Structures are given as structure tokens and as C-alpha cells.
Amino acid sequence: MFWQQEIETLDRPALDALQLKRLRETVGKLERVPFYRGKFLENGIKPEEIKSMADLRRLPFTTAEDLRANYPDGMLAVSREEVLRLHTSSGTTGKPKALFFSRRDVDTAAELIARAFCMTGVTRRDVFQNMMSYGLFTGGLVMHYGAEKMGCLVIPAGPGTSERQLLLMQDFGTTVIHVTPSYAFYFADFLEKKGVDPRKDLSLRKAFVGAEPYTEETRNKIEAALGIEVYNSYGLTEMNGPGVAFECEGKCGLHLWEDNFVLEIINPATGEPLSEGKTGELVLTSINREAMPLLRYRTRDLSSVISGPCACGRTHRRIHRITGRSDDMLIVRGVNIFPQQIERVLMSIPQIGRNYVIQLEGLDEMTVKVELSPAGFDGQVGHLEQLQNLVAEKLRAELWIRPHVDLVACGSLPVSEGKAKRVIDKRTL
Ligand SMILES: [Zn+2]
């Protein structure tokens, strides 16, 4: 099923030509933005000299710091009257990043979501319950508008309590949900405690899971726990929010909508492009936005391009699931570690539960605190020690350093209903 079959299956030369046309228009438009005008002058760039996609590399990067420095509306490329909506993305420090939408931008963002819904087999007969936060966060409204455009019944549940989520699901026959991976787990546990079997008692069949990077093992566990198909979604506020890239029914990477975004993978340390297939930082240029297009935005998300055609017939290239954030990388005893590596190991051990925390203390001491699965402990202390050693050994094989492992009772670590905080760094280095 396609939403916009012609554009979704456009052959490569036509897609390349469309990208170049839109890139040139965007660069021309950005001359009006003082930030970019200054950068163009500084680097001797004349918009009319952008003649091929290879010229993209001459254009400046845009960073989160640039957005904060130009907050609230210094990056706007249209007049204030043409702006219809504003979303922000809060960082851990300082001012938020603001993104503006024109009427056409609101509509385009919804189209991209509608494509994703069709691509995963969602139809107008589905009931979509959006469990993401509404308001300034894009995961609520942008997804909502897309689902409405597609034509299914939309329940704007927001993050609410699990009791209320369940009530809505039962009363209105929810078939599709949009949720973070950590809340999906939390909700699965909640159902178990309530004695609700999602396979028998609910109509759920699909979930869009995103907003936090997660592993293939996590996907498998959510699918098994809720009896549904889980599709990976990727987006960021700076590029519309959700809907930048989505999986099709093949679940073999996320199609990134190249008629809207130009994708590059770079070495985060040097800024140099990496060859296809290599993992690096995803850099995106929005070439179909009116209110606030961005050139070569440093997403800090790590991914790689999957080459070759997809069985679904879409020609837009696929990216691998996000494996982490370049700024999430931990350096422990001189070794580079991504929290996702730890998650992958933990999820592969059946006696281990789903909730974990990575604690860094003192002079580079790493402790991985992880919950046992409900059936993970038979009460024998000797078995617990064996399991602790097994987990530490598996982590050592993956990370090259051996962390302390602290196995704790199921349900004893804090649970977040939004984005999970996995790393607590209290080092005194
Ligand atoms: Zn596909």
C-alpha cells in the first residue's frame, strides 16, 4: 500500500534531479536568513554556484548550538505572518531549540506520516492511539495530523496513566499505538499485573516505536510481550519531528524520505563523509521546508546507509536503526562505549529483565544495575552469583572492560513513562 506511490517509487535519476532542484531553491531562500547569509559570505558561497549534489559539501553545517544561539526566531526564512505553528525540543542545558512550520510545512509533515502509516499496512479502518506527549513535543501533534490525513480514527490519549490507556483501548478497539520503547515495556508489565492478555483481550496489532534509540532485541521483546508488530520510526524536531524515516513491512531498515531530506553520513570527529555502509553521524538537509529549512544539520544520531533496493518497491534509501548518539558515547577507562551495546547484551540473556541503569562513579567505575526477569531467580544465592558473573563476562566480551553487575529485584528500578534515563554519571574525574 502506498500513500503517494509515484513519489515513493520515483527512479533514482528523477529523485536525484528533484533533490538538486529543491536544494538549490532552499539555498537561494536561505540567503534571507542572516545566519546563513553570514556563513555563505564567510565561505565564499554563491547560491547560484550550487550546480550538483557534490556541491552540498561546500555548504556549512548547522548545529544544535547554532539553533540555540539564534533562538527564538533568528533562523526563520519567512515572515512571522506566514508561520502557523511552533514546536520546540528541550535539551539538557540552556535554551530549547525552536522549529517553525508554515501551512505547507504542517501539511507536508502530515503527508510523510501518512506515507509511513500506509507503508506498514495501516488502513482507514484502524484506530490509532497516540500515547506520546502532546504540546511542544512533535511526537504528539505531528503524528496526530498525519494519522488524520491517512484517515484512521485518532485517539489523542497523550502519555496519561496506564489505567486510562487501557480503558481507551478496550472501549474504542485501538489497533495501532505510538509509544516509546520504555513505556511499551512498562505498559506490557502493567497489563500482566492486571491479568489482561493483549492477544485475547485487546485488538492491538501494530505499534510505531520511536523517540529513543533501541535495539533489535528490544523490538523482539516488545512484539512478544504485546503480541503486535513493532515498526521503528525516526525523526527529530529540527526536521519536522516524527516521519523523517520509517520502516516498511519488510522491517529491514528505515526509508528516509529523500524528496524532503538529503542524507549524509559523516565521521563525527572530522566532518568528512563516510563511504556507504559505514556507521557515522547522520547529517540532514531539509529541502522541502518553507518556514525554517536547515542545511547539513548535525543530528548527532549514529546510523549507516543500507544499499540496494527494498522488496517493497520504494526507492528512497534506507538507514539502519539509530545505534546511539555521538554525544551519548561514554568514555570509560579509555574505551568508547555506547549504552546501546550494553542494552543489546542484557536483552540477549533470558533471566534478565528489561529495566537497567548504567552508573559511573568515582574514578571511572562502571556498574550496570539490571532487574531480574520475573522468573529469573530461583532463590538460591549461588545461582544469583553465577548469573552475575555470566552477565559481567558477556559485557566484557562486548565492551572490552568488565563492569560491576548488580542484579536487583524485578520492578525495583525507577520507571519513566517518557524517555528513559539510562546513564547516571557521578564520576569525580
Ligand atoms: Zn521497503
Side-chain angles (χ1 to χ4, degrees):
M1 263 286 288
F2 292 92
W3 179 252
Q4 292 167 314
Q5 184 162 9
E6 197 185 333
I7 192 92
E8 290 173 50
T9 59
L10 207 58
D11 64 35
R12 198 68 229 179
L15 195 48
D16 289 344
L18 180 63
Q19 280 201 323
L20 180 61
K21 174 177 167 281
R22 288 184 169 172
L23 175 68
R24 298 185 62 181
E25 287 165 1
T26 299
V27 173
K29 192 189 309 186
L30 286 175
E31 273 219 297
R32 281 176 243 154
V33 178
F35 167 80
Y36 283 115
R37 195 168 56 238
K39 289 269 187 187
F40 294 165
L41 274 172
E42 212 175 287
N43 298 292
I45 299 160
K46 294 199 175 73
E48 61 276 16
E49 287 172 4
I50 303 298
K51 295 228 157 63
S52 76
M53 289 311 283
D55 292 325
L56 183 68
R57 285 189 60 189
R58 297 183 51 211
L59 297 170
F61 286 120
T62 309
T63 64
E65 293 71 44
D66 294 329
L67 295 193
R68 291 204 177 91
N70 289 283
Y71 179 88
D73 60 358
M75 301 287 259
L76 204 51
V78 296
S79 71
R80 279 292 277 266
E81 292 74 54
E82 289 169 79
V83 174
L84 207 71
R85 195 199 289 174
L86 141 82
H87 279 288
T88 68
S89 155
S90 54
T92 40
T93 51
K95 299 268 192 200
K97 292 166 279 179
L99 188 84
F100 294 94
F101 291 69
S102 68
R103 183 173 298 281
R104 189 167 77 83
D105 292 336
V106 167
D107 204 51
T108 309
E111 296 281 2
L112 300 188
I113 301 287
R115 285 185 198 175
F117 273 58
C118 284
M119 180 157 73
T120 52
V122 177
T123 73
R124 301 180 58 149
R125 289 182 299 281
D126 276 294
V127 178
F128 172 64
Q129 186 162 328
N130 193 0
M131 296 159 78
M132 293 282 193
S133 165
Y134 278 68
L136 289 167
F137 174 56
T138 50
L141 277 177
V142 173
M143 202 75 171
H144 181 106
Y145 271 60
E148 280 189 351
K149 184 167 280 283
M150 221 282 312
C152 46
L153 170 61
V154 187
I155 307 177
T161 65
S162 298
E163 289 283 355
R164 196 174 58 128
Q165 302 286 3
L166 175 59
L167 190 80
L168 292 166
M169 283 177 192
Q170 287 169 327
D171 292 349
F172 299 101
T174 301
T175 55
V176 182
I177 56 173
H178 180 212
V179 68
T180 61
S182 40
Y183 189 59
F185 278 146
Y186 178 82
F187 190 69
D189 283 343
F190 167 80
L191 292 183
E192 206 180 314
K193 280 184 200 133
K194 294 285 277 186
V196 176
D197 179 351
R199 286 176 177 77
K200 289 202 208 102
D201 306 329
L202 298 176
S203 314
L204 289 183
R205 58 186 201 101
K206 287 171 198 286
F208 298 115
V209 176
E212 296 163 3
Y214 60 101
T215 60
E216 194 60 33
E217 288 77 9
T218 294
R219 183 218 305 262
N220 295 339
K221 285 202 171 184
I222 297 172
E223 290 190 329
L226 290 173
I228 53 173
E229 298 284 332
V230 166
Y231 299 97
N232 201 340
S233 71
Y234 174 70
L236 64 164
T237 306
E238 299 88 317
M239 297 284 136
N240 288 347
V244 172
F246 257 92
E247 277 183 326
C248 64
E249 281 186 293
K251 290 191 205 166
C252 49
L254 296 83
H255 289 283
L256 190 136
W257 299 124
E258 292 187 87
D259 58 325
N260 277 261
F261 309 100
V262 178
L263 100 99
E264 297 170 86
I265 301 284
I266 64 160
N267 175 334
T270 64
E272 289 302 308
L274 293 172
S275 52
E276 192 152 305
K278 287 267 186 315
T279 299
E281 182 182 335
L282 181 63
V283 171
L284 294 172
T285 298
S286 41
I287 50 171
N288 196 26
R289 293 196 99 255
E290 270 185 349
M292 194 176 145
L294 298 174
L295 294 179
R296 306 189 79 199
Y297 184 71
R298 301 280 303 256
T299 68
R300 304 286 169 193
D301 291 320
L302 300 172
S303 183
S304 57
V305 172
I306 300 171
S307 45
C310 183
C312 74
R314 287 174 184 82
T315 49
H316 299 240
R317 281 184 300 169
R318 288 165 293 155
I319 55 168
H320 273 288
R321 60 172 56 252
I322 304 298
T323 53
R325 305 241 328 141
S326 61
D327 44 9
D328 275 355
M329 190 177 75
L330 306 168
I331 303 177
V332 181
R333 289 179 243 160
V335 179
N336 297 348
I337 293 172
F338 288 100
Q340 298 291 302
Q341 290 176 280
I342 294 175
E343 177 171 325
R344 204 161 50 228
V345 170
L346 297 178
M347 292 292 163
S348 71
I349 305 172
Q351 301 97 311
I352 292 297
R354 300 148 183 164
N355 208 0
Y356 68 95
V357 167
I358 302 159
Q359 224 163 289
L360 300 164
E361 283 166 310
L363 299 168
D364 251 2
E365 290 303 318
M366 177 160 79
T367 302
V368 177
K369 270 193 180 181
V370 59
E371 289 181 4
L372 288 159
S373 70
F377 181 43
D378 59 9
Q380 293 197 43
V381 179
H383 289 171
L384 197 63
E385 271 169 28
Q386 273 173 16
L387 183 57
Q388 208 143 295
N389 273 326
L390 172 85
V391 176
E393 258 322 291
K394 288 203 169 210
L395 286 170
R396 192 198 51 78
E398 168 75 27
L399 309 174
W400 296 18
I401 62 169
R402 197 175 198 270
H404 303 293
V405 172
D406 205 353
L407 298 177
V408 298
C410 184
S412 65
L413 290 176
V415 177
S416 68
E417 297 197 6
K419 288 196 183 196
K421 184 160 172 48
R422 298 293 192 195
V423 180
I424 301 167
D425 195 342
K426 290 194 270 187
R427 280 179 291 186
T428 49
L429 289 172

